[in-house]
Amino acid sequence: MRALITGASSGIGYQVGKKLALEGHLVYMTCRSVREVFHLRKKLEKEGVHAICFKMDLTSDDINIVDHLDIDCLFNHAGCGTAGSILSMDENSLRDIYEVNLFRSFLLLKKVYQHMVDKKITGKIFVTSSLASMYPFPFLGVYTSSKAAISQLVKTLQRESRVFGNSVCFCLVEPGAYATGFNQAMIDKVELYQELNDKFLSIHNYQRKLFSLLESRNIDKIANKIVKEMVKEKPKKILRIPWVQGIFLKIHAFFFL
């Protein structure tokens, strides 16, 4: 298999890339900045893993690199997030989230998809959304709405692929909360955009505690499950991991949201 992974500098993207490479697959691992690429290469070298690493900022012309790659699997994992109400968030932050998570991410997907169709490749495209996409968390609406759009688009593509009749399949990955540091960094940014009154601070502190309680530290487990689906001829359409977080969030939404 020849796989391209975006957002591979750390966390789930890194673990998936490392496991694929250790299994003998050709893996392209990308990061948003040159500095991240440098640290990624050092980390892989230290662990004895061979993968091809390079910068791919989805908001730049880097995206055109895929025109020169012959791949049969895409893990569209890159994403960003910030917290705060859309009513107070500045336009640049809002635009960056939707550019990275949605517009440019799906432009990359389209490019890879067209390559697979043109080359008659039996391809697989995995796209990362989030379990949080299903719930209206206060002050996380911009991030979760971008993820909700991803989920709906991938589900739609799965149905459309039956009409197109080609050999490209789509898999939606909806992870729960994992201890990668992403959630805390996102939640802490809310203070840039909100007035720090008592009611807001109580919600902010509650969400920090909620994510700390929910977060799974077993990143290997989700990476193993994703890799297991990637090497299948027909992967599952939706991966929601861990399932227990999905149940918890449904109960939480019923009583508290």
Side-chain angles (χ1 to χ4, degrees), residues 163-197:
V163 179
F164 298 145
N166 54 55
S167 56
V168 179
C169 60
F170 298 90
C171 176
L172 175 63
V173 182
E174 293 184 326
Y178 281 85
T180 62
F182 177 86
N183 296 317
Q184 284 73 22
M186 177 174 66
I187 292 172
D188 286 344
K189 286 181 183 177
V190 75
E191 296 182 8
L192 298 173
Y193 305 113
Q194 303 303 139
E195 181 183 348
L196 303 182
N197 59 49

Side-chain angles (χ1 to χ4, degrees), residues 105-118:
S105 176
F106 275 82
L107 176 58
L108 175 70
L109 182 152
K110 286 174 62 178
K111 281 176 167 285
V112 173
Y113 170 82
Q114 195 58 53
H115 166 78
M116 291 176 175
V117 171
D118 291 344

Side-chain angles (χ1 to χ4, degrees), residues 177-224:
Y178 281 85
T180 62
F182 177 86
N183 296 317
Q184 284 73 22
M186 177 174 66
I187 292 172
D188 286 344
K189 286 181 183 177
V190 75
E191 296 182 8
L192 298 173
Y193 305 113
Q194 303 303 139
E195 181 183 348
L196 303 182
N197 59 49
D198 290 341
K199 189 170 184 179
F200 161 73
L201 286 173
S202 67
I203 294 174
H204 183 220
N205 291 332
Y206 172 73
Q207 287 185 342
R208 285 186 60 87
K209 291 176 183 177
L210 178 64
F211 275 95
S212 296
L213 174 66
L214 282 176
E215 281 186 337
S216 171
R217 284 168 172 75
N218 195 349
I219 299 175
D220 275 350
K221 188 172 182 179
I222 184 173
N224 284 334

Side-chain angles (χ1 to χ4, degrees), residues 113 153-170 237:
Y113 170 82
L153 281 170
V154 175
K155 290 175 185 176
T156 302
L157 287 172
Q158 289 170 348
R159 297 195 175 196
E160 291 175 350
S161 64
R162 302 173 194 167
V163 179
F164 298 145
N166 54 55
S167 56
V168 179
C169 60
F170 298 90
K237 291 184 180 299

Side-chain angles (χ1 to χ4, degrees), residues 36 47 59 101 116 127 134 141 174 188 215:
E36 288 176 322
E47 298 195 46
T59 62
N101 293 358
M116 291 176 175
V127 186
M134 297 183 281
E174 293 184 326
D188 286 344
E215 281 186 337

